[in-house]
């Protein structure tokens, strides 16, 4: 599969709210934390990347979106890749 020439490869770092559970004996304490996530996105613009991340992770705080590479083509394996268990 080839993407159209306008597609670019983006390196995105963001955080989402999460809960860290700490167990001490029979007591479980929960702490709110921010979980850091790093993804790579193929899209036409940084605006589109922002839109795609917020669609997938509505509570995300985006820290950085970097364009990786110059005007290079992006080729992706044609068969869809699935997560384990799907």
């Amino acid at each position: 599969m080839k993407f159209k020439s306008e597609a670019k490869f983006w390196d995105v770092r963001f955080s989402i709210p999460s809960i860290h559970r700490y167990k001490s004996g029979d007591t479980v304490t929960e702490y709110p934390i921010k979980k850091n996530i790093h993804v790579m996105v193929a899209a036409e613009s940084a605006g589109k990347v922002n839109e795609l991340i917020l669609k997938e992770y509505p509570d995300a705080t985006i820290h950085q979106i970097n364009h990786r590479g110059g005007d290079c083509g992006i080729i992706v394996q044609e068969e869809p890749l699935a997560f384990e268990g799907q």
Side-chain angles (χ1 to χ4, degrees):
M1 171 190 299
K2 293 183 183 179
F3 286 94
K4 59 184 177 177
S5 60
E6 293 83 10
K8 294 176 176 47
F9 203 47
W10 304 86
D11 181 22
V12 186
R13 296 177 188 272
F14 59 96
S15 60
I16 58 172
S18 187
I19 300 292
H20 177 75
R21 290 174 181 80
Y22 176 75
K23 185 175 181 180
S24 178
D26 292 335
T27 305
V28 176
T29 307
E30 295 183 343
Y31 298 98
I33 63 169
K34 292 283 189 176
K35 181 178 179 181
N36 294 321
I37 299 177
H38 172 229
V39 299
M40 304 303 282
V41 178
E44 294 178 5
S45 67
K48 187 64 174 177
V49 171
N50 188 56
E51 181 183 318
L52 292 168
I53 294 296
L54 292 176
K55 181 178 177 184
E56 188 74 22
Y57 301 92
D59 295 332
T61 300
I62 298 173
H63 302 288
Q64 141 183 28
I65 300 173
N66 294 316
H67 174 238
R68 295 292 179 205
D71 295 326
C72 61
I74 301 169
I75 300 174
V76 178
Q77 177 178 331
E78 288 190 37
E79 306 83 38
L81 302 173
F83 292 103
E84 277 188 37
Q86 290 186 353

